[in-house]
Amino acid sequence: MAPRTNGIGVQVENTRICVVMVGLPARGKSYIAQKAQRYLAWLSIPAATFNVGNYRRTDAPQPPADFFEPNNQEGERKRRAAAEAAVADMLRWFKKGGVVGILDATNSTKERRKWVLDIMTQNNIEVIFVESRCDDENLIMANIRDVKTTSPDYQGQDPETAALDFRNRIRNYEKVYKSLNEDGDEEDLTFLKIMNVGKQVIINRIRDYLQSRVVYYLMNLHIRPRSVWLSRHGESMLNLEGRIGGDAELSHRGEEYARKLPELVLESVGSDRPLTVWTSTLKRTIATARHLPKHYNQLQWKALDELDAGVCDGMTYQEIADLYPDDFQARDEDKYNYRYRAGESYRDVVIRLEPIIMELERSEDILIISHQAVIRCIYAYFMQKPQEESPWVPVPLHTLIKLTPRAYGTEVQTYKANIQAVSTWRGKGSTAKHEDPSPEKSLFQTH
């Protein structure tokens, strides 16, 4: 029978953690919260974000700045009710098997933090506070620009009016804001302080493995606006034959794509600033990168190699179905967890990609040239694709993908080389050498 694997990515036993975000508006809290949730879910750790602003919008969809004035009793009542609703939902979620819940709000006073701590402690849930502090005016302004164009609070409003209102909202929060342990009376709390986008990090009383895992990720995360570029290698000779894996040379059309790629990158980047190029160690990705500008630094990562198909390497899907019919069926039933004989599963690929993701989060201006399964896994990380969907995502050849993470999602842009290539996507049950995905399966949706 075909080998199978199950279970969540990290054995966390009975650990449950509430991550409480802390900080003024426009400090990247929602961005950090979303990224942490995506990272944990990508590693198969059940995680969810509870954004208090979303709860508040049911009562006050687009409130003016004075709604957040400390002396506005009606505003305070509605904000408190939103926080209570978010915490109640989080507790219900924990009871259903949640492991890491993230409370995304300002939590800017000691009183509010103590209230959350007391509730979670009563329910045997660990609490870690994560504060993002920033006095870099350029970064704050970049975050304000992002929020006023992506936040539901300012949808349909004049951008300049929105920016002014948001500035006034921040001033109202500043009147009551207390940084974590500012008065020296919160030193018993477990917390992480990220100062000026990671220039300084303060860690206090981290207690166990899962907390340290979350903290390590957040230490490597920066909130400066940036993009990541992804591309598969050019069409290969084995692609033409409908064979998987291998270490083939590029086809004639694949060579054309390699020559066209520098033009696509320049169009997408919008300037001649250099990117750092990461390829796998396989010939077809290295060949695809070879015409990029000489001032682009190029690095080869074994972790970016294609999913190892084991004994099926170099076969067509028809050959796999004929020789290993049980395996062929088992893979269709659970493609994420199915492991090829003497090879890998998608779950295995995710585990070996974790160092890549960590390095990606601390870097800027990276272009990754890799393979279908690897690009699917990286795309799933940024776009929060569920495990059962990610192995079926179409990633066409001869296409450059630009991903730009935002506070409320990830923007996707694509640049097609308009050079023909075979399709390597395969639907469930199919043994076709080349099959086009249905339109609704299109990869390129803004999330």
Side-chain angles (χ1 to χ4, degrees):
M1 181 61 190
R4 306 288 287 273
T5 60
N6 292 301
I8 65 173
V10 178
Q11 297 303 315
V12 291
E13 298 170 348
N14 295 321
T15 302
R16 296 181 300 169
I17 297 175
C18 173
V19 177
V20 182
M21 302 305 301
V22 176
L24 292 168
R27 266 60 179 182
K29 296 185 305 302
S30 291
Y31 179 81
I32 292 170
Q34 290 293 328
K35 294 293 278 187
Q37 180 199 331
R38 290 171 194 174
Y39 168 72
L40 291 164
W42 188 69
L43 290 175
S44 306
I45 298 171
T49 299
F50 298 83
N51 180 292
V52 173
N54 288 340
Y55 289 83
R56 183 260 303 154
R57 285 181 198 102
T58 61
D59 250 358
Q62 292 188 316
D66 59 12
F67 177 86
F68 301 92
E69 164 66 47
N71 296 323
N72 183 332
Q73 292 184 356
E74 179 66 7
E76 167 59 27
R77 184 188 66 76
K78 288 184 176 181
R79 298 200 308 275
R80 174 76 181 212
E84 289 171 349
V87 167
D89 276 357
M90 183 185 286
L91 291 174
R92 282 190 284 271
W93 175 80
F94 274 126
K95 285 175 182 171
K96 293 176 182 175
V99 175
V100 180
I102 304 170
L103 186 64
D104 181 14
T106 57
N107 297 304
S108 51
T109 66
K110 290 189 284 187
E111 293 75 21
R112 176 58 59 87
R113 295 194 286 268
K114 184 178 185 306
W115 171 72
V116 176
L117 178 67
D118 288 347
I119 290 176
M120 294 301 159
T121 303
Q122 288 163 17
N123 286 273
N124 297 313
I125 296 163
E126 299 175 10
V127 177
I128 176 169
F129 294 92
V130 176
E131 180 176 10
S132 180
R133 290 200 63 180
C134 182
D135 54 21
D136 182 329
E137 193 61 28
N138 289 332
L139 183 63
I140 293 168
M141 281 309 299
N143 284 338
I144 287 174
R145 282 194 296 272
D146 191 23
V147 167
K148 78 182 181 187
T149 55
T150 60
S151 169
D153 280 354
Y154 295 106
Q155 218 164 38
Q157 295 190 22
D158 172 70
E160 294 313 309
T161 306
L164 181 62
D165 182 86
F166 195 50
R167 274 282 192 194
N168 290 332
R169 181 189 298 193
I170 293 170
R171 290 191 186 99
N172 282 329
Y173 273 106
E174 285 172 339
K175 294 172 185 176
V176 295
Y177 174 53
K178 276 281 185 185
S179 181
L180 279 165
N181 204 34
E182 185 178 325
D183 299 330
D185 56 356
E186 291 180 298
E187 56 190 19
D188 288 339
L189 301 181
T190 296
F191 66 76
L192 168 69
K193 267 190 181 187
I194 305 169
M195 324 282 281
N196 284 325
V197 205
K199 286 184 180 174
Q200 182 185 6
V201 175
I202 299 170
I203 302 170
N204 193 68
R205 294 187 181 271
I206 303 303
R207 300 174 194 276
D208 58 37
Y209 171 73
L210 188 53
Q211 286 187 6
S212 67
R213 190 82 177 256
V214 172
V215 165
Y216 179 63
Y217 171 75
L218 294 177
M219 284 171 61
N220 285 284
L221 186 67
H222 67 57
I223 57 174
R224 282 186 293 272
R226 50 67 192 252
S227 299
V228 175
W229 289 264
L230 306 175
S231 174
R232 289 180 65 187
H233 54 80
E235 181 186 72
S236 75
M237 298 304 292
L238 286 185
N239 290 152
L240 290 175
E241 298 173 23
R243 298 185 179 276
I244 64 173
D247 191 14
E249 305 283 354
L250 294 180
S251 71
H252 175 70
R253 295 186 302 198
E255 292 281 2
E256 273 189 73
Y257 178 67
R259 287 191 290 272
K260 176 86 171 184
L261 185 57
E263 181 186 322
L264 292 182
V265 171
L266 182 62
E267 179 190 349
S268 175
V269 175
S271 71
D272 62 355
R273 76 175 189 271
L275 302 185
T276 298
V277 182
W278 297 350
T279 71
S280 74
T281 64
L282 300 175
K283 288 185 289 192
R284 55 193 183 274
T285 64
I286 297 168
T288 303
R290 73 171 178 267
H291 296 293
L292 290 165
K294 299 297 181 193
H295 62 292
Y296 282 23
N297 189 27
Q298 295 196 19
L299 301 171
Q300 295 171 21
W301 293 76
K302 181 73 176 166
L304 289 173
D305 284 1
E306 180 59 300
L307 185 152
D308 183 352
V311 297
C312 298
D313 191 64
M315 291 185 180
T316 65
Y317 285 114
Q318 185 63 60
E319 288 169 347
I320 297 170
D322 292 343
L323 285 168
Y324 305 106
D326 287 350
D327 290 70
F328 186 81
Q329 183 182 344
R331 191 163 192 259
D332 271 1
E333 287 172 0
D334 187 2
K335 194 173 178 182
Y336 185 82
N337 286 302
Y338 169 80
R339 180 180 290 138
Y340 278 108
R341 296 169 186 260
E344 288 183 303
S345 65
Y346 270 83
R347 184 183 292 281
D348 294 329
V349 173
V350 163
I351 290 167
R352 71 163 148 96
L353 281 176
E354 190 183 359
I356 295 282
I357 292 297
M358 208 64 78
E359 194 61 32
L360 204 52
E361 287 296 356
R362 55 192 290 168
S363 306
E364 295 183 47
D365 290 341
I366 302 294
L367 164 61
I368 294 177
I369 301 174
S370 188
H371 307 268
Q372 180 168 255
V374 172
I375 298 292
R376 280 171 169 165
C377 292
I378 295 172
Y379 180 84
Y381 165 75
F382 280 103
M383 302 301 292
Q384 207 171 346
K385 285 282 182 186
Q387 291 170 2
E388 62 271 18
E389 287 183 26
S390 60
W392 301 99
V393 169
V395 184
L397 291 164
H398 301 173
T399 303
L400 178 67
I401 306 163
K402 179 182 180 181
L403 301 178
T404 306
R406 306 281 188 197
Y408 294 89
T410 298
E411 180 184 304
V412 184
Q413 293 171 278
T414 61
Y415 299 82
K416 293 185 178 294
N418 295 320
I419 296 167
Q420 281 201 326
V422 297
S423 168
T424 59
W425 182 84
R426 179 186 72 88
K428 282 189 181 181
S430 172
T431 58
K433 284 188 177 181
H434 306 119
E435 179 180 357
D436 288 324
S438 53
E440 64 270 17
K441 293 261 184 203
S442 176
L443 163 68
F444 309 120
Q445 304 287 330
T446 298
H447 180 82

